[in-house]
Amino acid sequence: MSDAKKIKGQAMGHNGIINYEVDVDDNKIEDLKILKHSETSGIFNQVIDKLKESVITEQSFNVDTISGATVMTQALLDSAKKAVKAADVQLTAAPKAAENNATMHLSADVVVIGGGEAGLVAGCRALTKGESVILVEKNGYLGGATILNGSNVTATGSKVATKIFGDNHDTPQALAADVTRESKHTNYPAMTDVMVNNIGPAIDFISEFAGLAYQKAQTQTPEHSINRQIELPTASSYEFIQKVAKAFNDHGGKTLLDTRVEGLTFNRQGELNGLTAAQHATSVKIKARSVVLATGGHGASQKMRGAESQGLDYYGPMTSTGDAYGFNSELNLQTHDLGWYKVYPHGVEVEPGVAKLTTYASKKATDMGALYVNTKGQRIVNESAVYSDFRDAILAQPDKVAFMLMDERTWKQVYDLLVLHDFTAKEIQGFFDHQDKTPIFVKGDLATVAKAAGIDADALQKTVAAYQVDAKAGQDPDFNRDAQYLHPFDGDTYYLVEQRGRFATTLGGYSVTTPDLQLITKDAVPVANYYAAGEVAGGANGHDSMPSMMNTWGISSGYVAGAAASANADQQKANGQTDLNVVGLMGTNATKSYNRTLLQAMQNLFGAQVDFEIAEIKDVPLFREDDVEAEPANVTALCQQIDAADGVVIAVPEYDHAVPAALKSTLEWLSCQEHPFKDKPVMIVGTSLGIQGTVRAQMNLRQILDSPGVDAKVLPGNEFMLPQAANKFDDQGHLNDAGSEAFLKQCFNNFVTFIETDEAAPVMAN
């Protein structure tokens, strides 16, 4: 008889309560349903399915949280675990698959670090150029900082803009002029030119590639001298990320989530050729011809914050920790203006030091006549001016706080926009219910709202009375506010909302070349094969970007960097630039062997210098001269693999003072009808449980490789014999003996020189 239960519960997420239901039948989890939540949808929608899959697969709530959403997913897991236990459900956890600690080795023409807007566009552009592309993202979801923004962007010079606006006389030069004016000439002109000249083609490209149906943005902000702002139908960046990510994968791109970059790799010439990363317990190594850095900013890094950010609330993702400044440290890259932040005046502090944006709601309020006042009850700014005037006015207040005063008719529309952009009805009501806490949201007559906010009530009465007279007269002698926004207050009920300066975006970053966005060192030398896009490469918008311009930079810079990385990869292909191809031949058919571990350790150590692939002999049949004319397919394949290699490393165990029979048989196959070892550089290595480290087997193998029909060129000297193998490797299969690793590196470097020059420095065995 079925024992089905629907267990409901609540968890405290990052933004509020998450209501959920766990469906259980016969003590087995069938489903985890989310009934209601107030989390950021773009993040929540991506992570909840992954979390649900883990819970159902493992039949347990003791599963990994999702990177970048740790607080929310851990709270949900903890709550559901207690709820199920309280319902007297006895779960039986499914046996966990054994963790695979082996290193994942991948390669691509282009690897992109960062799965936000800029990284996704760069990856898509590279795909259309015919490159293979891998995108690496440290979080368990895509979108980066973009996922918290709207989708609004400019469309200057695009076919999309022409369709939406007709001939609005917009030009790249006009957009650049606006950027220069609003940033007070702090922008980097060459970077601005890259942005304004490429945003049109970039919008047309990504719209077609991902099926994005842009339309005129609801809000055309006054910073822009021309109507040029567009947005997606949902007004949400999640629509952008969702559709572009799907298009990226549908066109052959490979996405690695939960994969944190830990370092970069370099070839023998010292040029960047890939990265190392960690994906849970698995080490990931990716070789690439070009790398695009699109990791985002550093706003969440307290260590990196400058004086300019003091006293400002942060509303960006807590994952914007400036990781790139760590794994790039050895490159000595040039940076600029790391203390620049994009400060908005429209923010509500929802927890200490953390704010949510109210830009759209605040703009609507001021369009309908709302006032900005300080604690003295005085107006502080032309409420219909550009947002930078608001910012400067608020930051000029001793407490860096202002209050938006509006009537009830205005509040109704403000409320709708707050709910549309990341606030919940319950959250807003909570602000009103707890007036002893910040943020201040209060309703009542002027005296009531003034008292709740700590504002001089008499002064506020005078300010409002004066405004009513001026609004009816259609003039503003104090701030010259445009008459179209001078709407008298209606009724005696007022709403007061606290407004603070806030930031999410950093505006400085790494320095790059133009127009290709190639990273440079502090000596202004371009770093081979390395490009940047998005927030991590600042300067195009200067010290203060206009609305829609961060998305404009993200999309345009991704478009440019993706093309530059592709051209660089194609140039390498045309020049025949490839790493040496080394085959590590496993010298036994045993399933478990420390010599296989040794080859894997070598692959991890030297995979950045050469293309190191491991070949097995476990399926090669016993050599029979009778079968030579009908050579087995796996023998032919192994022969071709060795023939194509620039060099071969043979890892040989020792059986009865000689090489294993399986290896001897394989070498007989490879020296009878076909001779892939002829003049092939070969290095011999070996490890054993004893103290002699396969010394006799290596001597035996040298004789075999020197025999007629084999005729290999064996690396002289450089005898790597690793004794006591059981104690020489860690749980991940890496050598844990520093002396042995150093000696192996010396021998292998000599082997590479031997391949390239037919000469090798002799080295005595350790």
Side-chain angles (χ1 to χ4, degrees):
M1 181 176 177
S2 175
D3 183 23
K5 296 181 179 179
K6 295 184 181 296
I7 304 165
K8 294 184 178 180
Q10 291 185 331
M12 178 55 72
H14 188 272
N15 294 342
I17 297 295
I18 301 172
N19 294 310
Y20 63 86
E21 175 184 288
V22 182
D23 294 349
V24 178
D25 193 0
D26 290 334
N27 292 315
K28 184 178 180 181
I29 303 169
E30 299 290 340
D31 201 359
L32 171 62
K33 298 175 180 175
I34 303 301
L35 305 178
K36 188 176 181 181
H37 73 90
S38 56
E39 302 301 292
T40 302
S41 296
I43 297 175
F44 190 84
N45 293 343
Q46 294 186 68
V47 305
I48 194 60
D49 286 342
K50 292 179 63 178
L51 192 70
K52 181 196 299 187
E53 181 181 357
S54 296
V55 167
I56 294 174
T57 300
E58 299 187 27
Q59 286 297 299
S60 171
F61 295 102
N62 297 320
V63 300
D64 291 333
T65 57
I66 308 298
S67 299
T70 304
V71 172
M72 181 268 291
T73 51
Q74 187 65 66
L76 187 55
L77 290 170
D78 291 344
S79 176
K81 182 179 180 180
K82 291 178 181 177
V84 168
K85 184 177 180 180
D88 199 28
V89 173
Q90 305 297 320
L91 296 175
T92 301
K96 279 193 174 185
E99 283 193 357
N100 180 14
N101 291 327
T103 300
M104 184 191 305
H105 291 270
L106 302 170
S107 63
D109 294 320
V110 177
V111 63
V112 179
I113 308 174
E117 176 181 63
L120 280 167
V121 173
C124 292
R125 185 88 196 277
L127 285 175
T128 60
K129 294 289 186 178
E131 315 302 334
S132 58
V133 184
I134 297 175
L135 186 147
V136 178
E137 169 56 52
K138 71 175 181 178
N139 292 320
Y141 57 88
L142 293 170
T146 307
I147 207 73
L148 301 180
N149 298 335
S151 64
N152 52 306
V153 64
T154 63
T156 301
S158 66
K159 296 175 183 176
V160 170
T162 300
K163 184 176 180 181
I164 293 172
F165 298 108
D167 184 6
N168 63 347
H169 305 292
D170 193 13
T171 64
Q173 293 74 24
L175 179 56
D178 287 351
V179 168
T180 301
R181 181 189 67 251
E182 293 301 320
S183 70
K184 297 181 172 61
H185 297 268
T186 59
N187 61 306
Y188 288 59
M191 296 283 283
T192 304
D193 286 346
V194 169
M195 176 173 66
V196 302
N197 289 318
N198 285 282
I199 188 56
I203 287 293
D204 287 337
F205 162 75
I206 203 62
S207 296
E208 180 178 353
F209 186 83
L212 302 176
Y214 279 106
Q215 60 191 28
K216 183 178 180 180
Q218 296 179 55
T219 303
Q220 300 292 320
T221 58
E223 290 85 352
H224 292 270
S225 60
I226 296 170
N227 285 352
R228 59 166 71 100
Q229 292 163 276
I230 61 174
E231 63 187 5
L232 295 172
T234 60
S236 168
S237 60
Y238 177 50
E239 181 181 354
F240 180 95
I241 296 299
Q242 186 181 38
K243 290 183 175 179
V244 175
K246 183 179 185 303
F248 174 76
N249 291 320
D250 288 348
H251 284 78
K254 182 178 179 66
T255 303
L256 299 180
L257 298 177
D258 282 310
T259 305
R260 180 182 293 274
V261 175
E262 297 183 330
L264 303 174
T265 60
F266 304 87
N267 61 21
R268 280 173 56 79
Q269 290 71 45
E271 295 177 338
L272 178 69
N273 73 341
L275 58 85
T276 62
Q279 188 183 74
H280 300 298
T282 302
S283 178
V284 180
K285 296 195 174 185
I286 305 175
K287 294 188 72 172
R289 300 178 187 277
S290 297
V291 179
V292 176
L293 181 71
T295 51
H298 56 273
S301 172
Q302 291 286 352
K303 183 179 179 181
M304 293 185 67
R305 285 190 194 173
E308 186 174 327
S309 71
Q310 299 306 307
L312 298 175
D313 294 330
Y314 178 69
Y315 77 98
M318 301 312 293
T319 54
S320 291
T321 50
D323 296 17
Y325 297 93
F327 64 71
N328 279 322
S329 58
E330 62 184 297
L331 285 175
N332 198 33
L333 296 178
Q334 184 179 126
T335 61
H336 68 91
D337 307 305
L338 294 182
W340 280 3
Y341 305 93
K342 179 179 178 180
V343 181
Y344 278 100
H346 317 113
V348 168
E349 185 182 39
V350 294
E351 58 183 270
V354 177
K356 287 186 179 181
L357 66 86
T358 65
T359 303
Y360 299 103
S362 300
K363 176 67 168 60
K364 186 65 175 179
T366 54
D367 282 354
M368 296 179 69
L371 299 181
Y372 267 65
V373 298
N374 58 18
T375 54
K376 295 179 180 180
Q378 302 166 338
R379 286 176 66 197
I380 63 172
V381 71
N382 172 356
E383 291 84 358
S384 300
V386 296
Y387 85 81
S388 58
D389 288 359
F390 279 83
R391 179 202 62 206
D392 294 344
I394 292 176
L395 296 182
Q397 305 307 309
D399 53 5
K400 296 185 178 180
V401 176
F403 302 92
M404 185 167 62
L405 182 70
M406 69 198 90
D407 56 22
E408 192 157 24
R409 69 181 178 85
T410 302
W411 166 252
K412 289 179 180 179
Q413 296 205 36
V414 167
Y415 176 86
D416 289 342
L417 286 170
L418 288 174
V419 172
L420 180 63
H421 294 283
D422 211 25
F423 287 82
T424 67
K426 186 174 181 179
E427 181 180 29
I428 295 170
Q429 187 58 50
F431 298 154
F432 283 104
D433 292 343
H434 299 91
Q435 294 181 15
D436 57 329
K437 299 178 181 179
T438 58
I440 293 171
F441 276 62
V442 62
K443 168 188 175 182
D445 58 26
L446 280 179
T448 299
V449 298
K451 181 178 179 181
I455 295 174
D456 185 321
D458 291 338
L460 184 61
Q461 291 277 6
K462 293 178 182 178
T463 296
V464 171
Y467 173 73
Q468 294 288 72
V469 172
D470 292 339
K472 290 175 181 177
Q475 57 184 3
D476 179 16
D478 294 329
F479 292 97
N480 295 315
R481 189 177 185 181
D482 194 308
Q484 65 177 313
Y485 303 117
L486 292 173
H487 303 291
F489 290 120
D490 183 13
D492 297 323
T493 300
Y494 294 87
Y495 286 76
L496 194 76
V497 174
E498 178 182 320
Q499 297 275 268
R500 291 176 177 267
R502 60 176 175 83
F503 81 97
T505 308
T506 49
L507 293 169
Y510 283 119
S511 300
V512 294
T513 64
T514 52
D516 292 336
L517 305 185
Q518 189 170 5
L519 287 153
I520 61 176
T521 67
K522 290 180 180 177
D523 297 323
V525 177
V527 178
N529 312 324
Y530 208 9
Y531 303 85
E535 190 178 348
V536 76
N541 285 301
H543 193 188
D544 184 25
S545 67
M546 298 188 295
S548 302
M549 294 311 297
M550 290 309 298
N551 284 341
T552 299
W553 174 240
I555 293 172
S556 62
S557 62
Y559 178 79
V560 172
S566 298
N568 180 69
D570 287 344
Q571 187 63 53
Q572 290 184 43
K573 295 175 193 176
N575 293 341
Q577 292 177 248
T578 57
D579 289 336
L580 292 176
N581 176 17
V582 174
V583 171
L585 185 64
M586 184 57 195
T588 176
N589 58 4
T591 301
K592 295 182 179 180
S593 172
Y594 282 111
N595 280 278
R596 182 177 290 104
T597 306
L598 176 58
L599 280 181
Q600 290 169 344
M602 293 184 70
Q603 186 181 45
N604 290 331
L605 283 172
F606 309 123
Q609 299 178 36
V610 300
D611 287 333
F612 196 110
E613 53 183 333
I614 297 175
E616 296 280 356
I617 65 170
K618 56 187 176 65
D619 295 325
V620 175
L622 182 67
F623 174 74
R624 273 200 349 146
E625 196 168 358
D626 294 349
D627 298 332
V628 167
E629 296 301 325
E631 183 178 87
N634 55 5
V635 172
T636 302
L638 182 59
C639 178
Q640 293 172 345
Q641 187 176 15
I642 291 173
D643 189 56
D646 295 302
V648 178
V649 176
I650 302 179
V652 58
E654 184 169 310
Y655 293 0
D656 300 328
H657 291 182
V659 301
L663 177 60
K664 180 63 168 67
S665 175
T666 298
L667 293 174
E668 287 169 3
W669 277 115
L670 301 177
S671 60
C672 182
Q673 184 156 295
E674 300 187 74
H675 307 276
F677 277 105
K678 182 175 177 56
D679 295 326
K680 184 73 62 179
V682 175
M683 175 183 181
I684 301 174
V685 299
T687 184
S688 69
L689 294 172
I691 62 173
Q692 291 188 320
T694 72
V695 59
R696 291 184 179 88
Q698 291 200 28
M699 291 174 60
N700 181 210
L701 183 55
R702 285 178 183 271
Q703 289 179 316
I704 296 170
L705 292 172
D706 189 46
S707 65
V710 182
D711 299 315
K713 294 197 302 184
V714 182
L715 176 69
N718 296 274
E719 297 174 333
F720 185 79
M721 304 168 189
L722 185 69
Q724 301 176 326
N727 302 321
K728 294 298 175 70
F729 300 97
D730 63 20
D731 292 341
Q732 283 73 45
H734 303 134
L735 280 169
N736 59 16
D737 181 77
S740 296
E741 181 176 309
F743 183 67
L744 180 58
K745 288 179 178 178
Q746 185 179 3
C747 292
F748 189 79
N749 286 336
N750 283 336
F751 180 53
V752 171
T753 301
F754 182 64
I755 293 173
E756 295 175 335
T757 66
D758 285 342
E759 297 179 1
V763 177
M764 299 301 293
N766 65 339

